[in-house]
Amino acid sequence: MIRIMPPHPETWLRVTEAGLYCEPGGFFVDPTRPVDRAIITHGHSDHARPGHAHVLATPETLAIMRERMGEDRAGTTQQALGYGEALTVNGVRVWLRPAGHVLGSAQVCLEWQGSRAVVSGDYKRRHDPTCPPFEPERCDVFVTEATFALPVFRHPPAAQEIGRLLASLALFPERTHVIGCYALGKAQRLIALLRQAGWDRPIPIHGALQRLCTLYETLGVKLGPLVPATVAAKDKLAGTIVLAPPSAIADRWARRLNEPVPCLASGWMRVRQRAKQGGVELPMVISDHADWPELLATCAEVEASEVWITHGREEALIHALGQQGIRGRALHLVGRGEEDAE
Amino acid sequence: MSVPAFAELLERLLFTPGRNGKVALIRQWFATQPDPDRGIGLAALAGELNFRTAKPALLRELIATRTDPVLFAMSYDYVGDLAETIALLWPEDARSNAPPPGLAEVVRTLDGAGRGEVPAIIAAWLHALDSGARLALIKLVTGGLRVGASARLAKVALAEWAGQEVGEIEEVWHGVRPPYLPLFAWLEGRGPRPDPAGQPIFRPLMLAHPLEAKDFEALHAPDWRAEWKWDGIRVQLTAGPGGRRLWSRSGEDISGSFPEIIAAMDFHAVADGELLVVRDGEVAPFADLQQRLNRKTVTAKMLKEFPAAVRLYDLLFEGEEDLRPLPFDARRARLEAWHERARPPLSSLSPLIGFGSMEELAAIRDGARAAAIEGLMLKRGDSPYTPGRVKGPWWKWKRDPLTLDCVLMYAQRGHGKRSSFYSDFTFGVWRGEELVPVGKAYSGYTDEELVWLDKWIRDHTTARFGPVREVERHLVLEVAFDAAQRSTRHKSGYALRFPRIARIRRDKPAAEADRVEAVEALVVGSLA
Ligand SMILES: [Zn+2]
Ligand SMILES: [Zn+2]
């Protein structure tokens, strides 16, 4: 019996101008320009782009894409694939595993001729009440992000950061605490974390967050009472926690609130000089990306002999992986880290 | 939990721009922290915390044995601040269950520890803290603590928390020492008012406003007395049975830098004057005086090369008698009589300048070209000595060129031979509680000042944008320029013509730098 060595993933999974391309399967993962066949890891705009002919993703990601881009731009045909379901595309087996990043986020697992690659998209390992947790999948090549790939990035427990927010509100009970957060994922996670901390009052949200919060509710994520944050009724907002997009917390919209305390929830808030930019008064280190220990632990856990890095700070990660005997390779994918770089 | 609580206070102070917000944060500290930790925190805010600190090199060694050098270098390069890098990188897998140290415990332990024990003590503390608290601890133990609040603000918060007048706090302040247990006992109604009697205490100074064109027109010559405005630093001399002190304008004790002045203060009085370097009766340039400032030890060589003296212009107390309520003319007579009798060495009286009319005085001012003279001081003959900056009784009337005291905001690397230095400076003035840029200068300083500025900038960077660094808003620069005009070039709405750095005002708190109103006044018209 002849034993055939499985092909190295770099022979069938390549970086092209449009992004990562699976040659035998004839499809791209998170392509940056319109293509014929795309598999999308999650709904953030640096991964899910409009105009593909055929789109495969989790039902939640497809719903998010339709909500954000409109039915007609979210793929001419959409094909849903649930977590753990598998299908075969031109001989390439394809299945999805939760990435724990935002609702619907998935790692794309690919296997061809006994050789397996996992494209993780963006991911985190912390508990998130709004989406299922990351599931490691053993593979030969693990394709990872590296947004927070420096050892200085270790996210504290999210509950602790929520505690700091509530303590600030107790100290400044008349001031409106406005938290800057991204519309997809971060906003809903913050709301869920506030609910877990016992904050059951209606939460005013900026208009830009409304549609995705409604969609999350439709998809079964309970967020509790939300109300529009209309600046016209600013007295009603005194002493409340308001959620808004990051761009809104320092602009005229927020200044019309009652002595606002601008807060920003992001992994970047770990470093002071980053936090000092943009007039943030209460930096909150809450991230939907893996921190440094989680990146290293995940790479070890999937037992991959090679780790490919899509975007972020790859130098430090390649160095640290090398010390664990894992070969790291920077893919330098362009156009990543735009929306959810936080 | 007090190092973590203190860390949270520092963090919030750093990010809270508004005065009221800062006061609320400090008040909460006094209300919730136990003795003696809250007093140690107060001392840190007031800049009065003195204990045996550790060298930054020690921290660097501690982290070097616990991290990969490549990852450390990448992290330091990204974070830009050594203490913060160490705090963020400190390994957490060895996190101990020991309770976090208290502030007072840190100070007491370091003061009592043998040199060889210090590294292990600090490492054990770091293992018991989270990253935010580690940063506060590292800054504290290396003496690099910088607080986003002034000593004055801490006292205001203390007064508000206790329902006292801040003036009352100032009166007793120099009679108490960290951790201020009698002070807190008094403020909480548990003990008597601390008695500053006998202790040399600082009396807040009477300050002058810059004279503007519209003010000048209203002056009636016979009401006014004129003195030279000396280019030194303002000091208060306090001497009596309880001791001798030389205070800076903000009440900082600078006795240690000027032992010869202290030695000469063989009297019982409180006097107000200008500290200068004087050689053979000639006042030396300000740069010479700078050689003597901020020195912990003074060598015999320094005493000889940069001999200090004071030029007195007011007498606040003679013996125990408070002269401050008396009018200026009466205090001046007392000053002259007292000086004639006491003849303290290394002191002279700042002469009164005779003039018949304001026009004549303007001509005297324009004619004064000596480097040691900045212009004139105008004081109303009937003005009592009122602490603070009351508008009207005292004016400072600087001669040309125009100058403004600005706060350094950004620095950029220079070009050519200066490319390794931060030599282009953007500075601002206050608009309300905000600093707004008013200009940029890249000349005027000496080579030594440039080296000093460059180091200061590297040590106080808060953000980097390519070649530009944003710095903490602490350093006051006296900027000389030829004219001020309205302009959209800078956020302040003004631009300065040929601005240059005339002087680094290390003695001046940033909060006392000039305001946009001062710039506007210079646009309206000069006095000449
Ligand atoms: Zn991304
Ligand atoms: Zn994402």
Side-chain angles (χ1 to χ4, degrees):
Chain A
M1 199 170 117
I2 305 162
R3 194 187 154 89
I4 300 173
M5 279 287 284
H8 191 286
E10 69 190 8
T11 62
W12 55 273
L13 191 59
R14 295 191 296 110
V15 176
T16 70
E17 276 183 35
L20 210 51
Y21 180 59
C22 174
E23 211 154 51
F27 55 81
F28 291 82
V29 181
D30 291 349
T32 54
R33 54 178 70 168
V35 298
D36 186 40
R37 301 172 77 84
I39 303 181
I40 303 298
T41 58
H42 67 286
H44 279 141
S45 60
D46 54 334
H47 298 258
R49 307 207 180 225
H52 307 309
H54 183 90
V55 172
L56 178 83
T58 62
E60 295 84 358
T61 295
L62 293 175
I64 288 165
M65 288 175 71
R66 286 193 299 269
E67 182 63 47
R68 302 192 94 180
M69 326 174 166
E71 297 274 349
D72 49 332
R73 301 178 71 220
T76 316
T77 60
Q78 290 200 334
Q79 185 178 359
L81 187 66
Y83 297 126
E85 298 169 14
L87 54 80
T88 303
V89 184
N90 303 332
V92 180
R93 205 167 90 95
V94 178
W95 69 105
L96 303 177
R97 286 240 182 241
H101 175 57
V102 298
L103 183 61
S105 66
Q107 308 171 69
V108 178
C109 309
L110 307 170
E111 193 172 273
W112 190 61
Q113 296 183 356
S115 157
R116 190 188 291 175
V118 170
V119 184
S120 60
D122 295 333
Y123 64 96
K124 71 171 174 290
R125 306 300 303 268
R126 303 296 170 93
H127 174 70
D128 180 341
T130 66
C131 65
F134 180 97
E135 288 175 12
E137 180 76 85
R138 204 208 57 78
C139 54
D140 300 301
V141 164
F142 183 63
V143 185
T144 184
E145 55 144 326
T147 308
F148 291 114
L150 265 184
V152 296
F153 291 108
R154 279 180 299 201
H155 310 322
Q160 177 183 316
E161 298 298 283
I162 296 291
R164 293 177 59 239
L165 170 70
L166 296 177
S168 177
L169 199 64
L171 180 60
F172 300 110
E174 295 306 312
R175 300 180 66 184
T176 306
H177 285 60
V178 199
I179 312 178
C181 55
Y182 285 89
L184 171 57
K186 187 66 68 64
Q188 296 78 23
R189 183 177 174 212
L190 284 173
I191 293 168
L193 286 167
L194 282 166
R195 299 307 185 206
Q196 285 187 338
W199 186 260
D200 48 17
R201 294 167 54 179
I203 296 176
I205 58 172
H206 187 279
L209 309 182
Q210 184 64 59
R211 280 163 47 212
L212 282 165
C213 286
T214 306
L215 180 65
Y216 262 59
E217 287 268 356
T218 313
L219 294 172
V221 179
K222 295 276 160 283
L223 299 175
L226 306 177
V227 293
T230 31
V231 182
K234 72 169 193 172
D235 288 343
K236 278 203 182 129
L237 299 179
T240 61
I241 296 169
V242 176
L243 267 56
S247 58
I249 65 165
D251 76 8
R252 277 218 312 282
W253 179 83
R255 283 208 295 274
R256 283 156 61 197
L257 295 167
N258 203 40
E259 285 188 79
V261 178
C263 317
L264 192 63
S266 154
W268 298 114
M269 296 297 103
R270 172 99 171 154
V271 174
R272 268 189 179 177
Q273 57 167 283
R274 288 293 294 251
K276 278 285 255 182
Q277 296 162 15
V280 176
E281 286 190 36
L282 186 71
M284 298 165 67
V285 188
I286 298 181
S287 174
D288 287 330
H289 292 268
D291 65 6
W292 173 258
E294 290 166 6
L295 287 170
L296 290 182
T298 305
C299 291
E301 210 173 336
V302 297
E303 296 175 26
S305 55
E306 254 186 68
V307 169
W308 297 356
I309 302 163
T310 53
H311 64 295
R313 316 191 65 84
E314 50 278 287
E315 272 182 317
L317 188 55
I318 289 173
H319 174 82
L321 289 172
Q323 291 177 328
Q324 297 183 6
I326 300 171
R327 181 174 167 238
R329 174 185 161 202
L331 300 184
H332 302 298
L333 291 190
V334 291
R336 284 294 161 79
E338 284 165 8
E339 173 169 9
D340 56 346
E342 309 191 24
Chain B
M1 286 289 286
S2 61
V3 169
F6 186 58
E8 180 71 12
L9 171 68
L10 293 181
E11 181 85 0
R12 291 299 311 262
L13 285 175
L14 185 70
F15 284 97
T16 301
R19 181 183 173 284
N20 293 346
K22 286 183 201 272
V23 168
L25 289 162
I26 303 171
R27 283 181 61 164
Q28 175 178 260
W29 170 265
F30 297 136
T32 57
Q33 294 299 308
D35 288 323
D37 280 343
R38 62 177 168 181
I40 299 291
L42 172 58
L45 296 178
E48 301 207 344
L49 195 55
N50 288 309
F51 65 104
R52 267 187 47 199
T53 53
K55 293 242 178 334
L58 186 156
L59 272 300
R60 214 186 236 280
E61 281 162 31
L62 286 180
I63 196 72
T65 60
R66 288 167 170 84
T67 46
D68 176 279
V70 174
L71 295 176
F72 176 82
M74 286 177 181
S75 298
Y76 187 21
D77 188 57
Y78 178 78
V79 175
D81 177 89
L82 181 63
E84 189 177 355
T85 308
I86 296 172
L88 293 174
L89 279 184
W90 190 262
E92 298 206 324
D93 43 12
R95 187 81 182 267
S96 73
N97 291 322
L103 270 187
E105 180 190 344
V106 169
V107 170
R108 197 177 56 235
T109 308
L110 287 182
D111 265 341
R115 184 178 289 264
E117 302 170 298
V118 171
I121 291 171
I122 292 175
W125 284 334
L126 290 172
H127 281 310
L129 296 170
D130 70 10
S131 65
R134 287 195 295 262
L135 178 58
L137 183 86
I138 293 170
K139 296 268 187 191
L140 183 71
V141 302
T142 54
L145 201 61
R146 264 173 276 280
V147 181
S150 63
R152 175 74 183 173
L153 204 64
K155 290 172 195 167
V156 168
L158 192 62
E160 282 191 15
W161 163 70
Q164 272 287 2
E165 288 298 317
V166 66
E168 278 284 288
I169 307 264
E170 292 281 10
E171 281 287 318
V172 302
W173 185 254
H174 289 284
V176 291
R177 288 278 161 270
Y180 312 108
L181 299 182
L183 177 66
F184 283 106
W186 168 56
L187 292 173
E188 289 179 331
R190 294 182 284 108
R193 181 176 188 267
D195 183 8
Q199 286 279 349
I201 73 166
F202 171 69
R203 316 281 172 173
L205 298 181
M206 177 163 181
L207 303 170
H209 269 268
L211 186 65
E212 294 166 11
K214 59 180 171 19
D215 308 311
F216 179 74
E217 283 150 24
L219 300 186
H220 180 50
D223 297 341
W224 292 90
R225 313 292 170 257
E227 300 164 0
W228 297 119
K229 183 173 180 353
W230 299 101
D231 192 13
I233 66 165
R234 181 99 179 263
V235 286
Q236 183 173 98
L237 298 82
T238 306
R244 302 174 184 181
R245 294 280 190 284
L246 190 63
W247 311 104
S248 74
R249 67 202 301 279
S250 56
E252 194 193 339
D253 183 356
I254 56 170
S255 310
S257 300
F258 298 93
E260 76 271 47
I261 302 289
I262 293 291
M265 285 163 55
D266 188 14
F267 50 76
H268 187 186
V270 177
D272 190 357
E274 198 83 3
L275 185 66
L276 303 161
V277 165
V278 180
R279 279 192 207 92
D280 308 322
E282 283 281 307
V283 177
F286 186 79
D288 284 16
L289 179 60
Q290 263 181 336
Q291 300 295 323
R292 293 289 306 269
L293 298 174
N294 304 316
R295 299 255 172 202
K296 284 221 170 97
T297 54
V298 189
T299 61
K301 185 161 172 266
M302 301 228 61
L303 290 172
K304 187 157 168 283
E305 282 182 15
F306 304 103
V310 284
R311 202 141 280 187
L312 303 174
Y313 33 70
D314 217 322
L315 193 64
L316 279 56
F317 282 75
E318 187 175 355
E320 294 296 324
E321 186 188 355
D322 188 351
L323 307 184
R324 292 177 294 177
L326 301 181
F328 176 83
D329 287 343
R331 292 201 310 281
R332 177 78 198 187
R334 294 284 295 262
L335 172 69
E336 290 177 3
W338 167 79
H339 195 260
E340 181 62 31
R341 263 196 326 276
R343 292 201 168 275
L346 304 184
S347 78
S348 57
L349 293 187
S350 183
L352 287 181
I353 299 162
F355 60 97
S357 66
M358 294 314 286
E359 291 66 34
E360 191 185 336
L361 191 59
I364 291 171
R365 167 181 163 274
D366 291 341
R369 283 290 155 218
I373 291 174
E374 281 192 294
L376 294 174
M377 293 297 300
L378 300 185
K379 299 177 177 177
R380 269 192 80 99
D382 60 2
S383 57
Y385 194 94
T386 317
R389 200 184 296 276
V390 185
K391 195 162 182 176
W394 282 16
W395 300 105
K396 55 182 171 190
W397 190 15
K398 289 193 187 179
R399 65 154 197 233
D400 296 333
L402 304 174
T403 65
L404 284 169
D405 287 337
C406 303
V407 180
L408 179 62
M409 301 177 72
Y410 304 94
Q412 187 171 354
R413 279 180 199 275
H415 301 285
K417 73 180 170 85
R418 283 208 201 127
S419 61
S420 59
F421 288 102
Y422 285 89
S423 60
D424 296 13
F425 308 110
T426 301
F427 41 79
V429 293
W430 295 102
R431 176 193 284 148
E433 289 198 350
E434 185 193 15
L435 269 178
V436 285
V438 69
K440 227 178 162 174
Y442 41 88
S443 66
Y445 38 74
T446 64
D447 287 351
E448 285 131 352
E449 283 174 328
L450 178 60
V451 170
W452 187 89
L453 281 165
D454 180 75
K455 176 162 186 348
W456 190 93
I457 286 153
R458 290 170 197 273
D459 290 347
H460 296 76
T461 300
T462 55
R464 292 193 213 174
F465 318 93
V468 179
R469 288 184 181 225
E470 183 174 7
V471 296
E472 288 176 27
R473 276 70 197 277
H474 281 318
L475 187 67
V476 178
L477 300 175
E478 185 181 297
V479 177
F481 55 94
D482 291 358
Q485 56 213 49
R486 293 197 187 90
S487 158
T488 53
R489 182 143 44 109
H490 300 291
K491 196 180 170 193
S492 59
Y494 299 98
L496 309 179
R497 199 147 62 87
F498 300 131
R500 59 262 184 198
I501 308 296
R503 186 134 78 99
I504 306 168
R505 292 295 307 265
R506 273 175 273 185
D507 59 313
K508 189 158 194 170
E512 289 185 37
D514 279 306
R515 317 186 58 79
V516 279
E517 291 82 349
V519 188
E520 173 63 28
L522 294 171
V523 172
V524 175
S526 97
L527 296 169

